[in-house]
């Protein structure tokens, strides 16, 4: 299993879209968090706390205004982690190097989920930075940990669902379509 994890780690980071998608997720988080934090009042019920921090972290998804954008963007990493293998025929090389399909699939799930989780943690830290820069009151300790855990777990599961859609269909475009359409249904 260790060999499969190493193989998948190197393979995932050899795909340029991994860098681009993580960069887009972090950039979008930074820009939108700064805009939201800048617009918050300096005093009153909207000046900070758990609910306001949840809005900064989720960019409005906690209010039902918008979807959790970082989950959708990082979900594409999941789709591409499996879809690239089938699109370019590299699944043959992967299964030649690691002949157990279950081990390959589990390594993909673990590595993709960890990458998505790490990116989600960085997005939470970006929201914390925005709160600090614009003087937004900090959340409580329990609120911070529950918001962070919820965001990270949701993002990891959404990314793994993208991987599953691509694995089921064995097609990148169908995986992306399912990733975007299933939550809206």
């Amino acid at each position: 299993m260790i060999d499969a994890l190493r193989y998948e780690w190197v393979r995932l980071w050899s795909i340029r879209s991994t860098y681009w998608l993580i960069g887009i997720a972090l950039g979008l988080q930074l820009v939108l968090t700064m805009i939201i934090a800048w617009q918050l009042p300096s005093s009153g019920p909207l000046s900070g706390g758990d609910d306001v921090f949840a809005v900064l972290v989720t960019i409005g998804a906690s209010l039902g205004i918008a979807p959790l954008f970082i989950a959708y963007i990082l979900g594409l990493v999941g789709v591409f982690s499996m879809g690239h293998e089938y699109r370019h025929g590299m699944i043959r090389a992967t299964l030649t190097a690691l002949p157990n399909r279950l081990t390959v699939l589990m390594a993909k799930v673990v590595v993709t989920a960890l990458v998505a989780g790490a990116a989600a943690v960085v997005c939470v830290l970006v929201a914390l930075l925005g709160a600090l820069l614009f003087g937004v009151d900090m959340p409580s300790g329990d609120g911070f940990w529950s918001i962070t855990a919820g965001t990270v777990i949701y993002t990891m599961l959404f990314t793994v669902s993208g991987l599953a859609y691509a694995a089921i269909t064995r097609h990148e475009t169908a995986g992306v379509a399912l990733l975007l359409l299933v939550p809206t249904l």
Side-chain angles (χ1 to χ4, degrees):
M1 184 67 177
I2 299 296
D3 292 335
L5 291 170
R6 272 194 224 124
Y7 182 89
E8 184 58 28
W9 178 260
V10 170
R11 198 201 61 72
L12 185 63
W13 288 108
S14 67
I15 302 171
R16 282 180 287 179
S17 62
T18 304
Y19 297 106
W20 280 101
L21 290 170
I22 291 173
I24 289 169
L26 296 177
L28 184 68
Q29 181 75 30
L30 178 68
V31 169
L32 293 177
T33 296
M34 295 303 167
I35 290 171
I36 293 170
W38 178 54
Q39 295 296 321
L40 290 173
S42 59
S43 62
L46 294 178
S47 64
D50 293 347
D51 292 337
V52 173
F53 184 68
V55 170
L56 288 176
V57 169
T58 63
I59 311 173
S62 62
L63 298 175
I65 296 172
L68 186 57
F69 289 119
I70 61 170
Y72 276 87
I73 295 169
L74 294 173
L76 293 174
V77 172
V79 171
F80 294 155
S81 71
M82 182 61 87
H84 276 298
E85 293 261 5
Y86 286 106
R87 179 177 181 209
H88 299 292
M90 294 306 296
I91 193 69
R92 288 185 209 107
T94 300
L95 292 174
T96 300
L98 305 162
N100 188 342
R101 287 181 183 268
L102 184 61
T103 303
V104 170
L105 181 63
M106 293 312 302
K108 285 182 182 305
V109 168
V110 168
V111 170
T112 305
L114 289 176
V115 167
V121 167
V122 173
C123 286
V124 170
L125 294 176
V126 165
L128 190 62
L129 174 69
L132 288 171
L133 286 177
F134 288 97
V136 176
D137 294 336
M138 291 292 112
S140 65
D142 290 339
F144 173 79
W145 290 114
S146 67
I147 293 165
T148 301
T151 303
V152 170
I153 291 169
Y154 182 82
T155 303
M156 290 170 72
L157 291 175
F158 203 83
T159 302
V160 170
S161 72
L163 186 144
Y165 295 141
I168 291 168
T169 61
R170 296 184 181 189
H171 198 269
E172 277 183 346
T173 307
V176 171
L178 286 171
L179 182 74
L180 299 176
L181 292 176
V182 168
T184 60
L185 296 176

